[in-house]
Amino acid sequence: MKLETTISGPEDAPALLIVPGLFGSARNWGVIQKRLSDRFRVTAVDMRNHGASGWSDDHSYKALAGDLADTLEGPSHVLGHSMGGKASMVLALTRPELVDRLIVADIAPVAYDHTQAHLVEAMKSFDLDKISTRSEADALLAEKIDTKGVRAFLLQSLDVQNKCWNLNLDVLAREMPKIVGWPDISGSFPKPALFLSGADSDYVTPGSRPQIRALFSKARFASIPDAGHWLHAEKPREVEATIRAFLVRA
């Protein structure tokens, strides 16, 4: 599937692909993309069933990785967060010739119990035809989601004018077991890989490191202090600086 892309930076600069996570879009990475565009040709994508990209009944990681392969015009650094991190790992394991250096933000190649089905249900729980402002939608979401930052993140995908979510909520709900899972996949990625976590997040634990190293032999680990799962939104400058240091390291 052809993905919607946002591209910035010099045409002759090293390529960097940014792959957002579940419910995310290219615009969520706009600040970091802009800053990294000083020395990289940065492409940020909307994943299938997200943003302005097409919808499909298949939301498997094989399909997501295939979309990324079709987006790349040649070898590229690849940065993926959460669901996008898993898709990026599958791409690196199955098409290593397309990935120069890999950055995986706050996710591991393991199955999780962290279902996000409750967020899908919250977004589907009210009648969009009765909503005229984003603040009205926020008030309704607040009945089911306490965290203001999570609501603000989800509301970036709400098109108030057209009364719709820019998310294929039905498919994402149905495919949630695949999204939080990890496919049966073999192979190894022999190039440098950075696993970057939020220090306050529990998505990448010491117990997941053996599995990471089994698939990514040159894995390195770093964490961002005072950041949770959405580390790029909470600490954009620190995340950008860490990414930059890894990509320019000899």
Side-chain angles (χ1 to χ4, degrees):
M1 177 180 293
K2 181 176 176 57
L3 301 178
E4 184 72 15
T5 60
T6 302
I7 303 174
S8 58
E11 291 187 7
D12 59 348
L16 169 63
L17 180 69
I18 296 179
V19 189
L22 182 63
F23 310 132
S25 64
R27 63 179 294 190
N28 302 142
W29 286 84
V31 172
I32 291 175
Q33 177 178 10
K34 182 178 180 180
R35 291 180 62 83
L36 289 173
S37 294
D38 64 337
R39 67 178 301 170
F40 297 97
R41 179 71 166 175
V42 186
T43 299
V45 302
D46 290 348
M47 298 294 275
R48 65 169 59 194
N49 296 316
H50 290 70
S53 287
W55 287 13
S56 170
D57 288 338
D58 184 1
H59 203 81
S60 66
Y61 282 113
K62 179 180 179 180
L64 298 184
D67 292 343
L68 300 181
D70 291 343
T71 299
L72 293 173
E73 296 181 355
S76 175
H77 302 309
V78 177
L79 159 62
H81 171 246
S82 196
M83 178 193 76
K86 285 189 172 181
S88 299
M89 285 188 280
V90 173
L91 174 69
L93 292 170
T94 57
R95 298 290 303 278
E97 75 279 4
L98 290 177
V99 182
D100 286 332
R101 292 192 175 204
L102 176 68
I103 303 169
V104 180
D106 212 62
I107 204 73
V110 299
Y112 286 89
D113 296 325
H114 297 70
T115 180
Q116 304 297 334
H118 64 292
L119 299 181
V120 174
E121 290 306 312
M123 285 184 277
K124 293 175 64 177
S125 66
F126 54 88
D127 187 352
L128 292 176
D129 288 333
K130 298 179 180 179
I131 299 298
S132 57
T133 67
R134 201 169 297 272
S135 60
E136 290 175 354
D138 180 65
L140 291 171
L141 280 180
E143 297 176 5
K144 298 180 179 295
I145 302 172
D146 293 332
T147 307
K148 183 177 181 180
V150 173
R151 298 198 307 271
F153 169 66
L154 296 177
L155 287 169
Q156 290 186 40
S157 293
L158 176 62
D159 185 339
V160 175
Q161 182 176 357
N162 291 309
K163 310 293 186 182
C164 66
W165 292 98
N166 293 323
L167 298 164
N168 190 347
L169 294 175
D170 290 338
V171 166
L172 294 177
R174 189 178 68 241
E175 296 281 84
M176 191 63 67
K178 293 180 184 177
I179 294 171
V180 301
W182 175 249
D184 183 11
I185 189 169
S186 59
S188 63
F189 181 69
K191 304 172 194 175
L194 174 66
F195 285 77
L196 180 61
S197 305
D200 296 337
S201 172
D202 60 355
Y203 274 73
V204 183
T205 66
S208 62
R209 290 194 175 190
Q211 174 68 0
I212 292 172
R213 289 196 173 100
L215 298 172
F216 303 93
S217 59
K218 293 186 178 179
R220 304 169 185 173
F221 300 88
S223 64
I224 302 296
D226 302 316
H229 183 58
W230 284 284
L231 62 171
H232 58 292
E234 298 169 25
K235 297 289 182 178
R237 288 190 176 271
E238 292 86 343
V239 168
E240 178 258 323
T242 305
I243 292 169
R244 185 184 298 273
F246 174 70
L247 292 181
V248 302
R249 183 179 300 166

